[in-house]
Amino acid sequence: EAGVAQSPRYKIIEKRQSVAFWCNPISGHATLYWYQQILGQGPKLLIQFQNNGVVDDSQLPKDRFSAERLKGVDSTLKIQPAKLEDSAVYLCASSLGVVREMFFGPGTRLTVL
Amino acid sequence: GENVEQHPSTLSVQEGDSAVIKCTYSDSASNYFPWYKQELGKGPQLIIDIRSNVGEKKDQRIAVTLNKTAKHFSLHITETQPEDSAVYFCAASTSGTYKYIFGTGTRLKVLA
């Protein structure tokens, strides 16, 4: 079974630029999560989708972050404009939903200069 | 909201010794507690989990215990090996939300 795929793996941008991350969850997984992991900390939930609907986006900085999940499968997370404090690893994860075991992708390491 | 505290932040053990990592949670409604291992440059990987209707679960050298009354759970690794070196995260989740709250992580170093 293929795991959660993410791209790109690394991204370096200047502050105020825009960036987008892509995630392809495990086939059949209805629930998709985007987490932000700042160096030395645990993952923090940004947004959770159930199929293509948003379940929780309470910690998403909506003035600069946006996310969508097209047709309940792939998802993109966008930051516009980026700030220095957005430097982090952005992790995508998926689960079957009811079963709840969550599987993470390898992450995208974002550096904002 | 839910808060998860994890201790210690770093742990060094000799190869073959045991390692114990402890977490406490605040929301008594939490009922699912996974543990993740994160190696450098990789995403967290689920290694073991426990649900609130069970007090202990074991998988080879790894075990997790849960004390619902005290609201804490622990990860036990026996006969540690160098490949166990990584950062370990605990998490708590509540039925109905599927929202995971993670601890701050423990960096485990197994010295050969």
Side-chain angles (χ1 to χ4, degrees):
Chain A
E1 177 181 81
V4 177
Q6 289 187 247
S7 67
R9 292 296 313 278
Y10 305 92
K11 190 74 177 178
I12 300 174
I13 61 173
E14 301 274 339
K15 61 183 179 182
R16 291 187 289 275
Q17 286 187 325
S18 301
V19 65
F21 312 128
W22 173 82
C23 172
N24 180 241
I26 294 172
S27 178
H29 281 196
T31 308
L32 185 146
Y33 311 79
W34 282 103
Y35 282 86
Q36 180 192 58
Q37 186 177 25
I38 293 173
L39 187 65
Q41 298 182 18
K44 184 187 84 172
L45 179 69
L46 292 176
I47 189 167
Q48 176 184 339
F49 292 94
Q50 181 71 20
N51 295 309
N52 60 352
V54 175
V55 173
D56 186 343
D57 63 356
S58 58
Q59 297 195 83
L60 186 74
K62 298 180 186 63
D63 58 334
R64 299 185 301 105
F65 285 65
S66 65
E68 61 180 1
R69 189 178 185 194
L70 301 175
K71 299 180 181 178
V73 182
D74 292 5
S75 177
T76 56
L77 176 69
K78 297 179 181 178
I79 307 175
Q80 180 180 7
K83 293 184 175 181
L84 296 177
E85 58 261 37
D86 297 333
S87 293
V89 175
Y90 291 84
L91 295 163
C92 179
S94 70
S95 73
L96 282 170
V98 175
V99 178
R100 287 193 297 181
E101 284 85 353
M102 185 169 61
F103 299 89
F104 283 90
T108 296
R109 180 175 297 279
L110 173 67
T111 301
V112 182
L113 303 175
Chain B
E2 173 71 285
N3 183 51
V4 177
E5 295 187 356
Q6 183 172 347
H7 300 281
S9 57
T10 60
L11 179 61
S12 293
V13 299
Q14 289 294 134
E15 183 179 359
D17 287 350
S18 296
V20 180
I21 303 170
K22 299 180 179 181
C23 288
T24 60
Y25 60 98
S26 60
D27 188 350
S28 56
S30 294
N31 58 0
Y32 176 64
F33 307 93
W35 284 89
Y36 287 85
K37 175 183 180 181
Q38 187 172 27
E39 297 175 322
L40 194 63
K42 298 182 179 180
Q45 178 185 10
L46 178 70
I47 56 171
I48 196 167
D49 57 11
I50 191 167
R51 300 182 190 273
S52 60
N53 59 346
V54 176
E56 183 174 359
K57 184 177 179 180
K58 189 173 181 180
D59 182 4
Q60 299 182 344
R61 296 185 298 108
I62 295 174
V64 58
T65 59
L66 171 65
N67 183 327
K68 289 190 295 182
T69 303
K71 289 191 281 189
H72 67 69
F73 56 112
S74 301
L75 177 71
H76 304 254
I77 306 174
T78 59
E79 301 173 16
T80 54
Q81 301 168 2
E83 51 265 38
D84 294 329
S85 296
V87 179
Y88 291 80
F89 291 98
C90 63
S93 175
T94 303
S95 177
T97 69
Y98 304 135
K99 183 173 181 177
Y100 293 67
I101 303 299
F102 284 83
T104 50
T106 296
R107 182 173 299 279
L108 174 65
K109 295 182 182 178
V110 180
L111 308 172

